[in-house]
């Protein structure tokens, strides 16, 4: 069972602020790293699937980086908007195709 | 295209009863995974099925079981329900290991 840690647990920012969160995971038996956004009353939505060390992904104002050697990933949101308010989950996947989710970072963006 | 469909959306059961939850994945997705979320807990992995075979199983007691049919639809069964089984149960399907998972809306189970 992997120990996946996300920090901070929650974050309050003002509209327009840029922010970032961290996902830490054991680097052994690593296959891929998933990021999801989970809005209240909705289903988790896939943001990125990252596999290679040094990988960077971008989707609009959201981007992510991956360091597989040291076992961490950063998620960045540029110019946060109220609609970005959600819980952001990371989940490393092992070679057996099993995802282990972290506890998530709950982001609240104030207008 | 249709998303991942979970039925029922809500369910109330009594301790000791059993329950069956259903998940219909996106057409063409052969991998189906189940997760449990309880208050204060993150998403806990239950099991994953691929082409009717269980590929992975999480750290849950044997009361939790599942299966997948030839059309990739999956069911999850919980026997001898306990109060602690009250949770949101999410199903997710995937085209392949290279893609992210698409989640259903979940079944909220309440055990009284």
């Amino acid at each position: 069972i992997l120990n996946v840690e996300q920090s901070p647990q929650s974050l309050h920012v003002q509209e327009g602020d840029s922010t970032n969160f961290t996902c830490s995971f054991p680097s052994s038996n690593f296959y891929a790293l998933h990021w999801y956004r989970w809005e209240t009353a909705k289903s988790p939505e896939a943001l990125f699937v990252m596999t290679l060390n040094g990988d960077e992904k971008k989707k609009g104002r959201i981007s992510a980086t991956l360091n597989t050697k040291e076992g961490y990933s950063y998620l960045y949101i540029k110019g946060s908007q109220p609609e970005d308010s959600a819980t952001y989950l990371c989940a490393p996947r092992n070679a057996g195709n099993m995802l282990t989710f972290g506890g998530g970072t709950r982001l609240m963006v104030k207008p | 295209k249709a998303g991942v469909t979970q039925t029922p959306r809500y369910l109330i059961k009594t301790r000791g009863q059993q329950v069956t939850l259903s998940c219909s994945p996106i057409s063409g997705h052969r991998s189906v995974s189940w997760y449990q979320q309880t208050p204060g807990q993150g998403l806990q992995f239950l099991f994953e099925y691929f082409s009717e075979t269980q590929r992975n199983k999480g750290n849950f007691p044997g009361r939790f079981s599942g299966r997948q049919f030839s059309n990739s639809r999956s069911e999850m069964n919980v026997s001898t329900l306990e109060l602690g089984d009250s949770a949101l149960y999410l199903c997710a399907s995937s085209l392949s290991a290279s893609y992210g998972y698409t989640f259903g809306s979940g079944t909220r189970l309440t055990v009284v």
Side-chain angles (χ1 to χ4, degrees), chain A residues 1 31 34 36 38 43-44 46 49 89 93-94 96-99 101-103, chain B residues 31 35 37 43 45 48 55-56 59 88 90 97-101 103-105:
Chain A
I1 297 177
Y31 187 79
H34 291 223
Y36 290 84
W38 195 355
S43 308
V49 177
L89 299 166
R93 189 174 79 228
N94 62 15
N97 207 38
M98 179 173 156
L99 284 179
F101 282 87
Chain B
S31 170
Y35 295 85
Q37 189 198 35
L43 286 170
F45 173 79
E48 186 223 359
R55 282 203 299 198
N56 289 291
N59 191 27
L88 176 68
L90 286 168
S98 300
Y99 294 86
Y101 285 82
F103 283 82
S105 299

Side-chain angles (χ1 to χ4, degrees), chain A residues 4-6 9 87-90 101-106, chain B residues 41-43:
Chain A
V4 183
E5 295 186 0
Q6 290 189 246
Q9 283 190 319
T87 296
Y88 291 82
L89 299 166
C90 73
F101 282 87
T105 292
R106 187 179 176 199
Chain B
Q41 296 285 322
L43 286 170

